[in-house]
């Protein structure tokens, strides 16, 4: 039957890595903790991109936090956006690292990651533009805004990869 092969293909993760042995359903007799951690995920492009985003967001936050502010509302907004985005990226990193997507199957993880990156990238772009326009040539604020733009670019790349994974996987599954 062709339905069985389609079901196996839909269980793969969106981490971008190939399925290895033991990546499918748990084998009978295996312990429940076996396979909890995905040792190959930190070496994938998606994971390295998430780590780069977290580092640039943390640097942007530290640059703005350690500088003298001239406009409180603009930079507090920048800080809130960078920290919230950092926490959400860390949450998705941990979801993929510990394979929580296998346990919480009621959530469409590729779609939720796509929506997070769309909203987070838009807010980060707005925050970076506001921070750059209100920096008044203070080096820490300018550096924070630049790292905000770099993080925005990295989030756009992740959004493109998330969209590519969620839509291409669906269209190939529908064709079979």
């Amino acid at each position: 039957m062709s339905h069985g092969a389609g079901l196996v293909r839909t269980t793969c993760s969106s981490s971008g890595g190939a399925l290895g042995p033991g990546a499918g359903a748990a084998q009978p007799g295996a312990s429940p903790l076996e396979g909890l951690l995905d040792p190959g995920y930190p070496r994938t492009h998606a994971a390295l991109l998430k780590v780069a985003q977290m580092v640039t967001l943390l640097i942007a936050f530290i640059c703005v936090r350690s500088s003298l502010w001239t406009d409180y509302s603009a930079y507090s907004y920048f800080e809130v956006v960078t920290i919230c985005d950092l926490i959400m990226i860390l949450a998705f990193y941990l979801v993929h690292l510990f394979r929580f997507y296998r346990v919480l199957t009621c959530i469409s993880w590729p779609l939720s990651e796509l929506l997070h990156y769309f909203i987070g990238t838009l807010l980060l772009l707005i925050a970076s533009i506001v921070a750059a326009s209100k920096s008044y040539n203070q080096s820490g604020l300018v550096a924070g805004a630049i790292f905000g733009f770099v993080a925005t670019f990295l989030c756009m790349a992740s959004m493109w990869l998330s969209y590519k994974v969620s839509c291409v996987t669906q269209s190939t599954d529908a064709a079979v």
Side-chain angles (χ1 to χ4, degrees), residues 36-62:
L36 176 68
L37 183 68
D38 187 1
Y41 179 70
R43 293 184 299 269
T44 63
H45 293 292
L48 294 175
L49 197 55
K50 282 180 178 53
V51 169
Q53 292 166 8
M54 289 188 284
V55 168
T56 55
L57 285 170
L58 185 63
I59 291 172
F61 176 79
I62 291 172

Side-chain angles (χ1 to χ4, degrees), residues 125-151:
L125 179 64
I126 292 169
S128 298
I129 290 171
V130 169
S133 67
K134 305 251 181 194
S135 66
Y136 304 113
N137 293 328
Q138 294 182 9
S139 59
L141 300 177
V142 171
I146 289 172
F147 277 107
F149 284 120
V150 170

Side-chain angles (χ1 to χ4, degrees), residues 1 7 16 42 70 98 110 115 127 161:
M1 292 187 162
L7 292 174
T70 55
F98 290 110
L115 290 176
L161 288 174

Side-chain angles (χ1 to χ4, degrees), residues 47 49-62 77-95 113 116-117 119-121 123-124 147-148 151-152 154-155:
L49 197 55
K50 282 180 178 53
V51 169
Q53 292 166 8
M54 289 188 284
V55 168
T56 55
L57 285 170
L58 185 63
I59 291 172
F61 176 79
I62 291 172
Y77 172 70
F78 185 82
E79 285 183 341
V80 167
V81 168
T82 54
I83 288 300
C84 288
D85 213 10
L86 179 99
I87 290 170
M88 287 303 298
I89 292 169
L90 179 63
F92 281 112
Y93 183 82
L94 293 176
V95 161
E113 196 167 356
H116 159 259
Y117 277 121
I119 294 168
T121 302
L123 291 175
L124 190 59
F147 277 107
T152 302
L154 292 172
C155 287

